[in-house]
Amino acid sequence: MPSPSSASLPPSRKRRAFLRWPVLLGVAAVIGYGLSVAMHWDDRGLLWLKERFESSSERKESVWLPDYTVDIDAKVLPGMEDDEASDLAYNRQTRTLFAVMGKNPFLVELSLDGNVLRKMPLEGWENPEGLAVLEDGWLAIVDERAHDLTLVKVDAATTSLKRDDYQRYDLGKSAKSNKGFEAIAWDPTRQRLVIGEERPPKLFTWSTDGRSPLTGDKQPLASDQLDLRNLSALGVDPRTGHLLVLSADSNMLLELDEHGEQVSFMTLLGGFNGLEDRVPRAEGVAMDEQGTLYMVSEPDLFYRFKKH
């Protein structure tokens, strides 16, 4: 039996149908606004507009993430589908990458093409989530569950690492115990480690020459520009000293200058920057001295971006 047309509806039913549309539009508007706030689309929109007015010289003095295009897209790291890639760091001395696996703790060395060179079990770590390469073979590993970082020494002969063989440094309690200190990066220009708390996103620094035991304590770093849902990883551009801030929940990579101001960003969704699909859960970022950008995602994916 055909449904009655709107013209044949009684006046009371037509009135109710007419009044329903403003309600539905209002609900859609509220949902849209909530999503825009949660995803920080409003802030990204302002930054996008700001990017349009940057001069060519200002762009050259920054990383300028909009100019990057993926050239290795979601390469699978063999045999690591159950290990959860948690962070990534570049070693300028060996021109290789190191990644840390958080679920089944081990360290893996990768070529710049994302090929596995060796795996090193991490004995005694609970939940290694952050990794930085310092100087002369020293690496810093952040354990989110233990709220500490450990400095370890790695060379060509290293086959495994025992946590009890190295000194640990307490990072203190975080605002949320299960969303604690997760990110770390080495800033050679300023001779410091930059440490990130996942949620709410916060930054800290710890002064060091990259070769000696740490002294003093971590210090808070102004981070009011971190309008991200979470902080997954940190990287430092060795050419400009700009900080790269990765957020898995926001599907975003953000560039901050030496003053902590937002400079540019990259959206990690399919169709942007050459990506075929969304980066599932971006957990590690690194950059080499040529400006090539590297990324890992849970569970076992490797990405490389180059500037065009």
Side-chain angles (χ1 to χ4, degrees):
M1 182 176 178
S3 59
S5 66
S6 59
S8 62
L9 288 175
S12 59
R13 291 185 62 186
K14 286 196 289 186
R15 189 180 302 110
R16 286 197 298 269
F18 178 76
L19 292 175
R20 191 180 300 127
W21 280 106
V23 174
L24 294 175
L25 289 172
V27 170
V30 170
I31 293 173
Y33 177 76
L35 281 172
S36 70
V37 171
M39 297 297 291
H40 297 281
W41 291 339
D42 50 348
D43 299 306
R44 295 292 81 79
L46 291 173
L47 181 54
W48 183 85
L49 288 173
K50 179 184 174 183
E51 286 179 345
R52 307 282 74 77
F53 292 98
E54 295 283 357
S55 66
S56 58
S57 60
E58 288 173 322
R59 295 185 183 193
K60 288 179 181 178
E61 292 172 358
S62 68
V63 177
W64 203 252
L65 294 170
D67 285 349
Y68 278 79
T69 302
V70 69
D71 78 327
I72 297 180
D73 191 352
K75 180 176 182 175
V76 174
L77 299 172
M80 300 185 197
E81 61 275 6
D82 297 322
D83 299 313
E84 294 186 355
S86 294
D87 204 1
L88 188 68
Y90 171 70
N91 188 332
R92 62 181 176 83
Q93 294 177 320
T94 59
R95 286 195 55 77
T96 58
L97 297 160
F98 284 91
V100 67
M101 302 293 158
K103 188 174 181 180
N104 301 303
F106 67 88
L107 191 67
V108 59
E109 188 172 11
L110 304 169
S111 73
L112 300 184
D113 297 321
N115 297 320
V116 176
L117 303 176
R118 58 173 169 163
K119 298 179 181 180
M120 294 158 275
L122 295 174
E123 300 176 21
W125 276 268
E126 298 178 59
N127 185 220
E129 288 286 340
L131 177 68
V133 174
L134 286 73
E135 304 292 339
D136 300 337
W138 285 102
L139 278 67
I141 300 175
V142 169
D143 193 307
E144 184 178 26
R145 194 168 298 151
H147 301 273
D148 66 13
L149 72 83
T150 307
L151 294 181
V152 302
K153 188 84 177 225
V154 175
D155 58 27
T158 302
T159 57
S160 65
L161 293 163
K162 294 183 179 180
R163 194 173 180 214
D164 289 342
D165 291 343
Y166 299 96
Q167 186 174 353
R168 306 176 200 173
Y169 299 87
D170 184 20
L171 293 174
K173 295 297 181 182
S174 55
K176 296 185 178 180
S177 59
N178 63 332
K179 299 294 181 183
F181 298 98
E182 175 156 336
I184 190 168
W186 166 238
D187 183 349
T189 303
R190 297 173 183 82
Q191 296 282 283
R192 66 183 184 179
L193 287 168
V194 184
I195 303 162
E197 191 172 352
E198 181 181 4
R199 187 179 293 129
K202 293 181 182 177
L203 296 176
F204 302 86
T205 61
W206 203 321
S207 296
T208 173
D209 63 3
R211 300 177 175 87
S212 309
L214 300 181
T215 58
D217 200 354
K218 72 182 194 303
Q219 301 298 321
L221 182 66
S223 50
D224 58 342
Q225 294 286 305
L226 291 181
D227 44 8
L228 299 166
R229 296 179 66 196
N230 81 318
L231 194 161
S232 301
L234 295 169
V236 173
D237 175 14
R239 304 161 305 161
T240 64
H242 286 191
L243 189 64
L244 299 171
V245 184
L246 185 64
S247 173
D249 290 351
S250 294
N251 299 298
M252 187 78 59
L253 180 63
L254 185 64
E255 176 190 0
L256 303 180
D257 66 15
E258 63 274 17
H259 305 296
E261 298 290 333
Q262 297 181 7
V263 178
S264 69
F265 73 98
M266 177 191 295
T267 300
L268 304 177
L269 299 175
F272 292 88
N273 297 84
L275 289 167
E276 184 173 342
D277 296 304
R278 179 178 70 90
V279 178
R281 185 161 186 84
E283 289 288 333
V285 65
M287 180 168 279
D288 66 21
E289 66 270 23
Q290 306 302 317
T292 302
L293 185 66
Y294 307 90
M295 200 175 292
V296 289
S297 169
E298 291 182 358
D300 57 349
L301 301 177
F302 175 85
Y303 299 80
R304 186 175 71 189
F305 298 81
K306 290 191 174 182
K307 201 167 186 176
H308 56 78

